[in-house]
Amino acid sequence: MEDVHDIALRELLDPLTGHLQEELNSARIAGQRVAILLVKSAAIDQIDAAHGFHAGDVLSSEIVKRLRSRALRKHDGIELLSRDEFVCILRPISSEGISMLAGQRILTLLSEPVEFGDKSAVADAAVGISMFPDHGEDAEVLLQRAKYALQSARKNRDRLCYYETEQTSPPIDQLQYAERLRLALDRNTLSLHFQPQFNLLTGRISGAEALLRWKDDVLGQVPPNIAVQAAESAGLVDRLTLWVITSAIQKNAEFQKISPDFTVSVNISPSNLQEPDLPFYIDRALRTWGVKGGTVVMEITETAIMVDQKKASEALNELKSFGVRLSIDDFGTGYSSIYYLAQLPLDELKIDLLFVRGMLEVPNYAKIVRSLIELAHNLDMMVVAEGVENEDIAAALTHLGCDYLQGYHIGKPMPSQDLITLLRAQPASAKKMD
Ligand code: C2E
Ligand code: MG
Ligand code: MG
């Protein structure tokens, strides 16, 4: 039997879904894609409770104003789903990447405080995205999928989530994942893939990023993020990272037989920096395989530094004393702070692939990429652009003076044997990319 609430909600939704459906119908005729960005402000509820509904209204209308005037294009639409949920309709939209960039822009705008009376508050927003016709052709289905993505977005570090069909599968059973991961570590059945990095100065592949690959008999292929999450909740992350570092250094000894001074980058989890023995293990692996510290790069994210800044800074300085190079990963999203760049002994900055992938379509992203390259160079850091997916992006980055390129255009992550074949095929001295 239908619930009274269901009927009321549907009546509320009808004008919106009706309007959205009209947009979708004309997009279908024009052969266009449409992105639905559902923005929710968690602060409005709290502000209502603390300062009254009027204050909540001020925040709600300021959000609409900012979205309309500074985040959306003239022809994009915005509709209110409720006082704290806003539906942005972006039409036409060329790719998933661009819809993510728009979501990122919205979040940046909404992180600026709103004044009401003598107080101020931030919207505490998250964005869930669904795409027409990729995720459905019906307005109600697309809104529901954007809502689903929004729920995941609230748990994400960057508060942004694009709907994935796999999200319909039930949430993972942490215990089962932990148990299977322990088994994989015991049986040594995990593996690493290596994604080549192209050095624009020498015109050669001069390094690779090691990326975890876990194909489990029961769970199938488990994405590295999920594997790391399972390891963290099961207290296995130090063991996992240790395995990754040791294996990557061992493989680098092989790569260096073909290409001396070849570098391998490994990803470090935030909690690894709390493990006091990490530098000791790295040092031991370097000695065991006869690899120089300067040819190993540790990639950290800003979250890693923020967990405990003092401890992180100590751990990073100790790593530096073995000559290991330090890189800041996914820079430009999350809680990017220039402060860390100045404070920590960092050697490299990796520009997040969101900016790189969108740089030819969104002029502001090209400007951000350019500024990040300049900033890093001024701080004597090398710059790696991630997510280089085509020739045109590679050419633009070359023009901007980027140092290294990484992305599908250079090469997808591959087994170490394939990288060895690639390195063998490289001419002794290659030409610069122009
Ligand atoms: P990350 O460190 O930023 O690695 C880059 C990710 O971008 C990789 O995804 C790579 O396959 C993908 N990628 C590279 N080039 C392109 C491109 O041109 N286009 C697109 N769309 N994607 C590209 P992957 O392998 O799924 O890894 C995802 C994340 O999982 C990594 O992001 C890293 O944060 C984490 N991760 C992977 N391996 C490890 C590990 O051994 N330890 C830890 N702690 N984290 C890991
Ligand atoms: Mg990385
Ligand atoms: Mg990255």
Side-chain angles (χ1 to χ4, degrees), residues 57-67 70 110 113-114:
D57 280 344
V58 173
L59 183 56
S60 182
S61 46
E62 175 62 24
I63 290 176
V64 174
K65 205 169 103 200
R66 277 191 202 172
L67 292 177
R70 291 164 63 199
L110 297 186
V114 175

Side-chain angles (χ1 to χ4, degrees), residues 264-335:
V264 163
S265 304
V266 286
N267 294 283
I268 300 286
S269 294
S271 52
N272 290 140
L273 291 182
Q274 313 296 314
E275 158 64 78
D277 290 336
L278 180 78
F280 165 78
Y281 288 122
I282 293 176
D283 187 43
R284 197 175 63 180
L286 290 173
R287 287 166 197 270
T288 308
W289 303 104
V291 169
K292 283 184 279 178
T295 60
V296 174
V297 184
M298 299 282 153
E299 293 189 9
I300 45 164
T301 56
E302 289 141 289
T303 327
I305 302 163
M306 282 171 45
V307 174
D308 181 340
Q309 288 179 35
K310 193 162 165 281
K311 255 203 191 136
S313 157
E314 279 167 15
L316 294 179
N317 279 304
E318 195 169 352
L319 285 174
K320 280 296 288 189
S321 67
F322 304 126
V324 169
R325 294 169 62 78
L326 299 178
S327 172
I328 189 141
D329 202 359
D330 304 337
F331 197 82
T333 58
Y335 301 96

